[in-house]
Amino acid sequence: MSILEVRNLRKFYTSRLGGQRTEALKNVNFTVEQGEYVAIMGESGSGKTTLLNILAALDKPTGGSVLIDGKDIAGIKESEMAKYRRENIGFVFQEFNLLDTFTVEDNIYLPLVLSGMSYDKMHDRMTPIAAQLGISGILRKYPYEISGGQKQRAAVARALITRPKIILADEPTGALDSKATDELLRLFTEINMSGQTVLTVTHSVRAASSAGRVLFIKDGEVFHQIYRGGSTSDQLYRKISDSLTMLATGGEIK
Amino acid sequence: MKIRIYPKLAWSGISKNRKLYVPYILTCICTIMMYVIIMTLINDGNIPGMQGGAALRSILMMGSWVLAAFSALFLFYTNSSIMKKRRKELGLYNVLGMSKSNIAVVLLIENVIVAAVSLAGGIALGTVLARLSEAGLAYILNENAGYGMLVSYEAVILGTAVFGVIFLLIFLNSVRQVRFSNAVSLIKSENTGERPPKGNFLICLGGIILLAGAYYISVTIKNPLTALGYFFVAVLMVIVGTYAMFISGSVMICRILKHSKRYYYRAQHFISVSQMSYRMKRNGAGLASICIICTMVLVMISSSACLYIATEKTVEMRYPEPVSVSVAMRAGDVFSEKTETIKKYVYDMLAKEGVSASSEVEYRSFYMCGDIKDGVITEDGMNVNIFILPLEDYNKILAHVSGNKKSESLGADEALIYAEGTDYAGDSITAAGVTYKTRRTDINPIRDDRVVTGLATFVIILNDPSVCLEHYGYGKWYFGFSTDADGERETELSYDLISGLQDTVTEENGFGGVRYVDSDSRARGIKDYYTITGGLLFIGIILSTVFIFAGVLIIYYKQVSEGYEDKSRFDIMRNVGMTDREIRKSINSQILTVFILPPAAAVVHLMFAFPIIKKLLSLFAFGNTLLLAGTIAVCVAVFVILYAAVYKITSNAYYAVVKK
């Protein structure tokens, strides 16, 4: 069963003066199955951030629909939207978005506290996740005391702790060095192996090559996609590079 | 670098930061204006020639010093926080190839612009408003104001000099701030991770002790004369204590709250508690300053207004008779026929002036400034004014006050006692070696020297005080009356009486141990009192205006800088799954809490300061507790409304930043 279904998604921006229309997304269609790990690639301005914002219900589409677990998110009332988002979608951002006023632990608890969960229950959930992500030792620290990689792992923990249906990641490796990037990608794969659906938006070939499927967006449309199949990350990396070159030069896909 | 680029950079430095600079320059103009007004009033216009003008001038002078000192501190502090906010911009200049001395030149030009605008604006406004202020002061004093523009060159020169020095110091400090930092740290200074606030337990404890100590002093103080000294000690303790509590105490409270997991991990507490400690850490000093400003303004305005309102009542209490004559001399002469000689002189003089006296009151007393220890009066110590009156004289006063309705009688071993401001509670008193059983009266027979010094008053009435003659050598004779002349005439009369009596009550005429001969009129007292109470009220209003201006500026900066900080938090919280409403509600309540704290603390300070303020006001012969409480209540109410308005207006600045 598909956990995420995007149908005929369109998004226009109209400039305030003159009424000129910009098409950010023309006609986007794809589905993500339960337990999949999908990467969406595209250059700056290709519309991938717009797409992510709409998937996250932070922005409204001009046309088309987004179904999460069979439910159209356009039908959710504004007042329930935040709650819905909190309970069904986990976010990982390029800039980590940890609150500097909280310890790492409290940052991770934040969505659960908002949902009114008791401390003991939260704590029970925390223990295995912290161990899996290797952040058990830094829970009491504040964001300013830890490295970028650690911050991102804390952010991943915050996304996982609500047991979301899908994790949306926006350039998760964008602010990390190569070692931390490898570490994070390994974690994403691991999380995915344990059954978690992950959708990541990136323009890093390396980040995309750890996914099970890569979608390419160009000029507001899904242009092409590659399945990992049986290939290794390195092989997938090469395939993605080729596709990108093709996209850039406007050549035909073989 | 091209010379012409400096003024350009300087101007853009100010105009790009106008959110910071416009309020700052307005505050500069306001303080300079007030200073020029005070200085103009001191040097020109009607005040120097007024009756009691000298006293008024010294009150204004004192006010000008307070104003200058406060302005220096406050403007200096404000500018250095503006410079801190501009670090990144200046660091960028540095990176783009300007040397630090180049930057110093830009800063110099900026400071010259700010100083020139402020001085020009302040002096112009001050000069324009000087006559208006004089009219206001004259109205307060029941005097006449002059007409036309009031231009004082002395005020302009002094204002320029004093504030020129302040601006120079401010400039040097900005250069120092740029000098001791390198380009990279200048640029990065905004991005360094914020450390979590650590409430220092010792500082917090120190703050509690200081506040408790200051409150204790205020509540337990007895003697108004020593109260003045203690008052300043208590003020310092409160200032330091307030800073400690706001900076450290609030963070400690948040930390304690965090320790309770059941309290802390609740949606409505979780974000508030953790962010509050940050907010308090950032704003602790600013909030403490606002609190202290609130307290100062409230104390100043309510006590000076109170004194002013009560002026006539106070003077009436101090001068029960419109004209009085008192002579302090050898007790033997007070209790002899010699007082008749003086009385005769007074009547002769009145007759010569064609004025007739009525409702005369007269009494004799032994007088000393001493103390009462275990029911024994001593001449050691300077705590209590002690009078000993014969019953005969007391009954005359009683008849005068009650309209012949009352009189007292005493046995030989009995004494009647009137006590005010002492903790005497015994049922016996020993004077001149004899012990008397005591009864109380609530009528104070003393007609002069009333509460003037703020000392306690203790009056002993004895059937026959002649035994005291051997022990207490010093006495006072009082003679008071009404006349059929008006107040001004009475004042002239009292002056004439002083000089005439000084020639009559002399050693040659057989008077001994004369300490003073005095005559006074109620009319003169009222005028004198108004110059003091009116002057204090005027300076209170001027200083309060400046303080309030400063307070508003601090609040405004706090709102704007918090706006920038909260903006990114806002975004993160939204991403994590809070609705806009939840976020706004949480932030609103935090800001409100932070806002309510300073005036709330100020009101607590004020309540504890009440006893010591009352004691201090008693130095001005003020004793109306109810009026003081009422005035304070009105001032607090007006202040709260004003504060709420400021909150409303500045929070718009906050939302303008957050929403951007």
Side-chain angles (χ1 to χ4, degrees):
Chain A
M1 184 200 157
S2 56
I3 196 96
L4 173 70
E5 202 173 337
V6 176
R7 285 194 208 131
N8 307 324
L9 197 64
R10 284 177 299 138
K11 177 71 187 177
F12 303 147
Y13 287 109
T14 316
S15 60
R16 228 178 297 171
L17 298 170
Q20 204 164 30
R21 220 166 63 159
T22 319
E23 288 184 318
L25 298 175
K26 268 180 205 159
N27 184 17
V28 178
N29 291 288
F30 67 93
T31 56
V32 176
E33 301 301 317
Q34 167 73 47
E36 244 194 320
Y37 180 2
V38 178
I40 296 178
M41 287 202 77
E43 290 177 8
S44 310
S46 59
K48 59 183 193 302
T49 302
T50 307
L51 175 63
L52 196 79
N53 281 341
I54 291 173
L55 295 185
L58 291 168
D59 201 351
K60 284 204 178 311
T62 312
S65 54
V66 176
L67 281 74
I68 292 181
D69 211 7
K71 186 170 181 173
D72 189 345
I73 58 171
I76 298 170
K77 268 190 271 173
E78 192 63 40
S79 53
E80 284 159 23
M81 201 61 232
K83 185 166 179 284
Y84 178 81
R85 208 154 53 211
R86 198 162 61 216
E87 285 167 3
N88 294 286
I89 310 170
F91 293 97
V92 179
F93 304 92
Q94 176 173 354
E95 290 298 337
F96 323 129
N97 279 357
L98 297 176
L99 287 165
D100 53 6
T101 54
F102 285 124
T103 56
V104 168
E105 185 179 24
D106 289 347
N107 261 298
I108 298 170
Y109 284 148
L110 181 57
L112 294 186
V113 173
L114 292 173
S115 303
M117 192 180 277
S118 74
Y119 177 77
D120 291 337
K121 273 192 184 165
M122 296 194 299
H123 190 74
D124 289 346
R125 280 197 188 185
M126 172 72 93
T127 316
I129 292 174
Q132 186 187 11
L133 296 178
I135 50 172
S136 305
I138 55 164
L139 289 179
R140 298 282 158 157
K141 296 201 168 175
Y142 281 85
Y144 85 100
E145 294 172 302
I146 59 177
S147 73
Q150 288 172 321
K151 279 185 206 171
Q152 196 59 298
R153 274 180 279 153
V156 172
R158 182 178 61 189
L160 284 175
I161 202 158
T162 58
R163 297 179 181 160
K165 296 202 169 94
I166 185 166
I167 283 190
L168 298 178
D170 184 8
E171 294 287 7
T173 59
L176 300 181
D177 60 36
S178 64
K179 193 164 161 271
T181 299
D182 288 343
E183 178 68 26
L184 188 76
L185 293 176
R186 189 186 59 74
L187 278 174
F188 269 4
T189 310
E190 216 179 284
I191 292 163
N192 176 241
M193 297 291 226
S194 63
Q196 176 69 54
T197 316
V198 179
L199 176 73
T200 169
V201 166
T202 181
H203 63 243
S204 149
V205 179
R206 173 118 65 119
S209 66
S210 69
R213 175 157 65 111
V214 183
L215 296 171
F216 295 88
I217 286 195
K218 194 185 175 193
D219 300 330
E221 279 177 294
V222 178
F223 191 75
H224 177 56
Q225 63 176 334
I226 303 176
Y227 282 90
R228 173 187 287 268
S231 47
T232 64
S233 285
D234 285 341
Q235 290 165 330
L236 187 60
Y237 186 101
R238 211 160 307 122
K239 280 193 203 165
I240 296 169
S241 295
D242 293 344
S243 304
L244 285 176
T245 315
M246 219 69 75
L247 275 167
T249 53
E252 288 294 312
I253 305 281
K254 277 180 273 185
Chain B
M1 266 171 67
K2 274 191 185 163
I3 293 291
R4 285 180 55 191
I5 198 151
Y6 289 113
K8 231 182 194 169
L9 282 175
W11 178 248
S12 79
I14 292 174
S15 66
K16 281 212 186 95
N17 292 295
R18 55 179 171 275
K19 265 210 159 90
L20 300 174
Y21 271 103
V22 170
Y24 172 64
I25 291 174
L26 284 178
T27 311
C28 289
I29 290 178
C30 171
T31 52
I32 295 172
M33 176 184 86
M34 292 303 186
Y35 188 80
V36 169
I37 288 177
I38 296 182
M39 279 304 166
T40 308
L41 293 187
I42 289 176
N43 291 300
D44 286 278
N46 287 7
I47 288 170
M50 251 180 223
Q51 185 198 332
L56 193 53
R57 273 184 66 155
S58 59
I59 289 174
L60 290 179
M61 205 63 188
M62 215 172 66
S64 79
W65 282 109
V66 174
L67 180 60
F70 176 79
S71 309
L73 279 176
F74 180 71
L75 296 179
F76 193 83
Y77 163 81
T78 308
N79 185 268
S80 69
S81 59
I82 289 181
M83 289 308 291
K84 253 183 224 149
K85 294 207 175 82
R86 290 187 58 197
R87 271 183 152 180
K88 197 173 180 180
E89 171 196 344
L90 297 173
L92 195 62
Y93 284 157
N94 203 187
V95 171
L96 294 178
M98 279 172 77
S99 71
K100 279 179 185 164
S101 50
N102 291 148
I103 293 177
V105 174
V106 174
L107 288 180
L108 176 67
I109 298 172
E110 280 181 14
N111 275 277
V112 168
I113 294 173
V114 170
V117 171
S118 307
L119 281 171
I123 288 172
L125 275 174
T127 306
V128 169
L129 292 179
R131 191 55 101 182
L132 197 68
S133 315
E134 197 198 59
L137 180 58
Y139 176 77
I140 290 177
L141 299 179
N142 287 325
E143 292 270 352
N144 295 320
Y147 297 99
M149 272 283 273
L150 192 55
V151 182
S152 164
Y153 294 104
E154 261 173 303
V156 171
I157 291 166
L158 262 170
T160 313
V162 168
F163 282 87
V165 170
I166 293 175
F167 282 125
L168 180 69
L169 290 176
I170 286 172
F171 163 66
L172 291 178
N173 185 51
S174 343
V175 172
R176 186 191 62 90
Q177 275 178 306
V178 173
R179 231 188 132 70
F180 292 108
S181 45
N182 60 55
V184 178
S185 81
L186 280 178
I187 285 192
K188 274 197 173 164
S189 58
E190 266 186 32
N191 294 332
T192 45
E194 177 83 15
R195 288 166 171 279
K198 289 208 170 74
N200 187 326
F201 179 69
L202 282 179
I203 294 178
C204 177
L205 192 70
I208 292 173
I209 290 172
L210 279 174
L211 284 182
Y215 289 168
Y216 180 79
I217 288 177
S218 169
V219 173
T220 56
I221 201 87
K222 285 267 154 56
N223 186 328
L225 282 180
T226 49
L228 192 62
Y230 277 115
F231 181 71
F232 287 110
V233 174
V235 165
L236 279 181
M237 284 165 78
V238 166
I239 290 176
V240 176
T242 305
Y243 274 97
M245 284 308 287
F246 269 94
I247 292 169
S248 210
S250 51
V251 175
M252 285 298 291
I253 291 171
C254 290
R255 263 178 63 183
I256 292 166
L257 290 179
K258 273 189 191 179
H259 272 291
S260 162
K261 291 201 157 45
R262 289 192 54 192
Y263 176 89
Y264 180 49
Y265 290 103
R266 288 269 187 83
Q268 64 268 42
H269 303 147
F270 192 53
I271 289 173
S272 305
V273 170
S274 74
Q275 292 203 349
M276 272 305 264
S277 56
Y278 268 76
R279 234 177 257 284
M280 293 305 294
K281 182 201 171 200
R282 279 296 179 87
N283 298 310
L287 290 174
S289 310
I290 295 172
C291 172
I292 286 160
I293 285 174
C294 291
T295 317
M296 279 200 295
V297 167
L298 285 173
V299 167
M300 229 164 30
I301 283 288
S302 49
S303 52
S304 60
C306 202
L307 269 185
Y308 178 75
I309 294 168
T311 302
E312 293 198 17
K313 271 263 166 3
T314 309
V315 173
E316 244 169 68
M317 203 171 81
R318 189 184 159 182
Y319 297 85
E321 277 75 44
V323 182
S324 68
V325 172
S326 51
V327 179
M329 57 188 174
R330 195 163 58 202
D333 289 351
V334 170
F335 289 93
S336 76
E337 294 303 308
K338 283 180 181 170
T339 55
E340 289 302 318
T341 320
I342 310 174
K343 213 170 16 175
K344 185 168 178 302
Y345 175 83
V346 174
Y347 278 120
D348 287 349
M349 172 116 179
L350 289 178
K352 216 163 49 189
E353 296 284 330
V355 175
S356 65
S358 57
S359 355
E360 293 93 333
V361 183
E362 172 188 1
Y363 65 85
R364 300 158 293 167
S365 69
F366 290 92
Y367 167 68
M368 72 209 80
C369 190
D371 210 343
I372 302 158
K373 291 213 173 87
D374 307 321
V376 181
I377 62 171
T378 77
E379 287 183 275
D380 302 331
M382 290 271 282
N383 296 319
V384 188
N385 276 320
I386 302 168
F387 300 87
I388 303 173
L389 264 71
L391 179 66
E392 183 194 347
D393 294 25
Y394 175 77
N395 272 333
K396 275 191 219 160
I397 293 166
L398 208 55
H400 174 75
V401 174
S402 69
N404 286 321
K405 277 188 194 131
K406 285 187 197 163
S407 81
E408 282 279 355
S409 59
L410 282 172
D413 60 342
E414 278 187 315
L416 205 56
I417 280 184
Y418 173 81
E420 190 178 289
T422 69
D423 51 7
Y424 171 81
D427 54 3
S428 74
I429 190 81
T430 305
V434 184
T435 305
Y436 302 91
K437 276 199 283 181
T438 56
R439 268 194 287 139
R440 293 272 181 156
T441 171
D442 51 3
I443 291 168
N444 181 5
I446 303 303
R447 315 296 280 173
D448 61 345
D449 268 336
R450 270 196 182 175
V451 279
V452 172
T453 53
L455 289 186
T457 306
F458 196 78
V459 186
I460 305 165
I461 294 126
L462 299 177
N463 210 345
D464 177 19
S466 55
V467 284
C468 295
L469 276 171
E470 286 168 32
H471 289 81
Y472 310 120
Y474 179 48
K476 209 158 39 168
W477 176 74
Y478 173 90
F479 180 53
F481 51 88
S482 307
T483 75
D484 52 359
D486 65 0
E488 229 164 285
R489 190 79 197 283
E490 284 178 347
T491 304
E492 279 169 33
L493 262 175
S494 70
Y495 283 131
D496 293 345
L497 278 171
I498 292 178
S499 54
L501 283 170
Q502 266 166 354
D503 296 336
T504 311
V505 187
T506 58
E507 299 277 349
E508 295 90 70
N509 290 346
F511 293 93
V514 178
R515 290 214 192 159
Y516 68 79
V517 174
D518 196 16
S519 175
D520 214 338
S521 77
R522 191 190 282 167
R524 197 186 76 166
I526 288 179
K527 264 228 145 76
D528 278 353
Y529 256 61
Y530 266 125
T531 54
I532 292 172
T533 56
L536 286 174
L537 178 63
F538 181 76
I539 210 76
I541 291 171
I542 291 231
L543 288 180
S544 298
T545 312
V546 172
F547 287 170
I548 288 173
F549 227 92
V552 172
L553 192 71
I554 298 175
I555 291 171
Y556 172 82
Y557 283 147
K558 187 187 89 59
Q559 293 278 42
V560 170
S561 65
E562 288 211 335
Y564 284 114
E565 272 168 39
D566 286 344
K567 200 173 138 47
S568 55
R569 295 210 184 110
F570 232 80
D571 295 340
I572 296 175
M573 285 192 267
R574 194 180 293 130
N575 287 332
V576 171
M578 279 178 88
T579 60
D580 279 7
R581 261 192 55 214
E582 281 174 332
I583 298 169
R584 188 154 297 179
K585 224 171 93 185
S586 141
I587 286 185
N588 267 346
S589 75
Q590 289 171 46
I591 286 187
L592 205 65
T593 315
V594 165
F595 240 84
I596 287 173
L597 277 176
V603 169
V604 173
H605 287 343
L606 203 61
M607 267 155 55
F608 278 100
F610 190 82
I612 204 169
I613 292 174
K614 213 189 112 193
K615 276 276 171 342
L616 283 176
L617 291 185
S618 76
L619 285 175
F620 295 90
F622 179 85
N624 191 338
T625 309
L626 213 63
L627 177 64
L628 180 61
T631 316
I632 289 181
V634 170
C635 288
V636 168
V638 171
F639 190 83
V640 165
I641 293 169
L642 213 75
Y643 192 84
V646 169
Y647 165 66
K648 197 82 204 148
I649 292 164
T650 54
S651 48
N652 288 343
Y654 169 86
Y655 283 117
V657 172
V658 171
K659 274 186 191 156
K660 221 188 306 178

